[in-house]
PDB file of all heavy atoms in Angstrom:
ATOM      1  N   PHE A 419      83.810 121.786  82.506  1.00 90.00           N
ATOM      2  CA  PHE A 419      84.964 122.696  82.598  1.00 90.00           C
ATOM      3  C   PHE A 419      85.182 123.454  81.283  1.00 90.00           C
ATOM      4  O   PHE A 419      86.316 123.703  80.869  1.00 90.00           O
ATOM      5  CB  PHE A 419      86.242 121.929  82.949  1.00 90.00           C
ATOM      6  CG  PHE A 419      86.167 121.166  84.237  1.00 90.00           C
ATOM      7  CD1 PHE A 419      86.942 120.033  84.433  1.00 90.00           C
ATOM      8  CD2 PHE A 419      85.304 121.550  85.251  1.00 90.00           C
ATOM      9  CE1 PHE A 419      86.876 119.319  85.616  1.00 90.00           C
ATOM     10  CE2 PHE A 419      85.224 120.848  86.437  1.00 90.00           C
ATOM     11  CZ  PHE A 419      86.009 119.727  86.613  1.00 90.00           C
ATOM     12  N   GLU A 420      84.100 123.839  80.627  1.00 89.00           N
ATOM     13  CA  GLU A 420      84.225 124.513  79.336  1.00 89.00           C
ATOM     14  C   GLU A 420      84.626 125.974  79.485  1.00 89.00           C
ATOM     15  O   GLU A 420      85.303 126.532  78.609  1.00 89.00           O
ATOM     16  CB  GLU A 420      82.899 124.404  78.577  1.00 89.00           C
ATOM     17  CG  GLU A 420      82.952 124.896  77.154  1.00 89.00           C
ATOM     18  CD  GLU A 420      81.629 124.741  76.445  1.00 89.00           C
ATOM     19  OE1 GLU A 420      80.583 124.833  77.117  1.00 89.00           O
ATOM     20  OE2 GLU A 420      81.637 124.529  75.225  1.00 89.00           O
ATOM     21  N   ASP A 421      84.254 126.626  80.577  1.00 91.00           N
ATOM     22  CA  ASP A 421      84.536 128.043  80.775  1.00 91.00           C
ATOM     23  C   ASP A 421      86.019 128.246  81.083  1.00 91.00           C
ATOM     24  O   ASP A 421      86.541 127.687  82.062  1.00 91.00           O
ATOM     25  CB  ASP A 421      83.688 128.571  81.927  1.00 91.00           C
ATOM     26  CG  ASP A 421      83.763 130.086  82.046  1.00 91.00           C
ATOM     27  OD1 ASP A 421      84.568 130.702  81.324  1.00 91.00           O
ATOM     28  OD2 ASP A 421      83.024 130.642  82.872  1.00 91.00           O
ATOM     29  N   PRO A 422      86.769 129.032  80.303  1.00 92.00           N
ATOM     30  CA  PRO A 422      88.199 129.260  80.576  1.00 92.00           C
ATOM     31  C   PRO A 422      88.448 129.905  81.930  1.00 92.00           C
ATOM     32  O   PRO A 422      89.462 129.615  82.587  1.00 92.00           O
ATOM     33  CB  PRO A 422      88.645 130.160  79.422  1.00 92.00           C
ATOM     34  CG  PRO A 422      87.635 129.935  78.349  1.00 92.00           C
ATOM     35  CD  PRO A 422      86.343 129.665  79.040  1.00 92.00           C
ATOM     36  N   ALA A 423      87.547 130.791  82.369  1.00 93.00           N
ATOM     37  CA  ALA A 423      87.732 131.436  83.665  1.00 93.00           C
ATOM     38  C   ALA A 423      87.647 130.417  84.800  1.00 93.00           C
ATOM     39  O   ALA A 423      88.408 130.473  85.776  1.00 93.00           O
ATOM     40  CB  ALA A 423      86.686 132.540  83.853  1.00 93.00           C
ATOM     41  N   GLU A 424      86.719 129.472  84.672  1.00 93.00           N
ATOM     42  CA  GLU A 424      86.609 128.443  85.699  1.00 93.00           C
ATOM     43  C   GLU A 424      87.837 127.540  85.702  1.00 93.00           C
ATOM     44  O   GLU A 424      88.316 127.147  86.774  1.00 93.00           O
ATOM     45  CB  GLU A 424      85.339 127.625  85.461  1.00 93.00           C
ATOM     46  CG  GLU A 424      84.045 128.410  85.667  1.00 93.00           C
ATOM     47  CD  GLU A 424      82.825 127.553  85.423  1.00 93.00           C
ATOM     48  OE1 GLU A 424      83.002 126.394  84.956  1.00 93.00           O
ATOM     49  OE2 GLU A 424      81.698 128.017  85.704  1.00 93.00           O
ATOM     50  N   ARG A 425      88.361 127.244  84.546  1.00 93.00           N
ATOM     51  CA  ARG A 425      89.558 126.413  84.491  1.00 93.00           C
ATOM     52  C   ARG A 425      90.755 127.130  85.102  1.00 93.00           C
ATOM     53  O   ARG A 425      91.589 126.512  85.773  1.00 93.00           O
ATOM     54  CB  ARG A 425      89.863 126.014  83.044  1.00 93.00           C
ATOM     55  CG  ARG A 425      88.834 125.097  82.435  1.00 93.00           C
ATOM     56  CD  ARG A 425      89.417 124.320  81.264  1.00 93.00           C
ATOM     57  NE  ARG A 425      89.910 125.194  80.226  1.00 93.00           N
ATOM     58  CZ  ARG A 425      89.190 125.641  79.209  1.00 93.00           C
ATOM     59  NH1 ARG A 425      87.918 125.301  79.098  1.00 93.00           N
ATOM     60  NH2 ARG A 425      89.734 126.418  78.277  1.00 93.00           N
ATOM     61  N   THR A 426      90.828 128.414  84.902  1.00 94.00           N
ATOM     62  CA  THR A 426      91.918 129.187  85.513  1.00 94.00           C
ATOM     63  C   THR A 426      91.811 129.151  87.034  1.00 94.00           C
ATOM     64  O   THR A 426      92.814 129.012  87.749  1.00 94.00           O
ATOM     65  CB  THR A 426      91.889 130.630  85.005  1.00 94.00           C
ATOM     66  OG1 THR A 426      91.980 130.630  83.576  1.00 94.00           O
ATOM     67  CG2 THR A 426      93.035 131.433  85.594  1.00 94.00           C
ATOM     68  N   GLU A 427      90.582 129.274  87.539  1.00 94.00           N
ATOM     69  CA  GLU A 427      90.378 129.210  88.989  1.00 94.00           C
ATOM     70  C   GLU A 427      90.740 127.835  89.535  1.00 94.00           C
ATOM     71  O   GLU A 427      91.415 127.719  90.565  1.00 94.00           O
ATOM     72  CB  GLU A 427      88.922 129.540  89.315  1.00 94.00           C
ATOM     73  CG  GLU A 427      88.611 129.481  90.810  1.00 94.00           C
ATOM     74  CD  GLU A 427      87.137 129.677  91.094  1.00 94.00           C
ATOM     75  OE1 GLU A 427      86.353 129.811  90.130  1.00 94.00           O
ATOM     76  OE2 GLU A 427      86.761 129.670  92.285  1.00 94.00           O
ATOM     77  N   LEU A 428      90.293 126.773  88.840  1.00 95.00           N
ATOM     78  CA  LEU A 428      90.600 125.424  89.294  1.00 95.00           C
ATOM     79  C   LEU A 428      92.091 125.124  89.208  1.00 95.00           C
ATOM     80  O   LEU A 428      92.624 124.368  90.025  1.00 95.00           O
ATOM     81  CB  LEU A 428      89.816 124.404  88.470  1.00 95.00           C
ATOM     82  CG  LEU A 428      88.302 124.351  88.702  1.00 95.00           C
ATOM     83  CD1 LEU A 428      87.662 123.344  87.757  1.00 95.00           C
ATOM     84  CD2 LEU A 428      87.974 123.999  90.144  1.00 95.00           C
ATOM     85  N   MET A 429      92.782 125.702  88.239  1.00 95.00           N
ATOM     86  CA  MET A 429      94.213 125.464  88.107  1.00 95.00           C
ATOM     87  C   MET A 429      94.967 125.953  89.331  1.00 95.00           C
ATOM     88  O   MET A 429      95.922 125.312  89.795  1.00 95.00           O
ATOM     89  CB  MET A 429      94.746 126.141  86.843  1.00 95.00           C
ATOM     90  CG  MET A 429      96.204 125.840  86.533  1.00 95.00           C
ATOM     91  SD  MET A 429      96.787 126.706  85.071  1.00 95.00           S
ATOM     92  CE  MET A 429      95.658 126.090  83.842  1.00 95.00           C
TER      93      MET A 429
END
Side-chain angles (χ1 to χ4, degrees):
F419 302 153
E420 188 179 31
D421 189 353
E424 293 180 352
R425 293 202 301 270
T426 303
E427 179 186 2
L428 290 177
M429 186 182 301

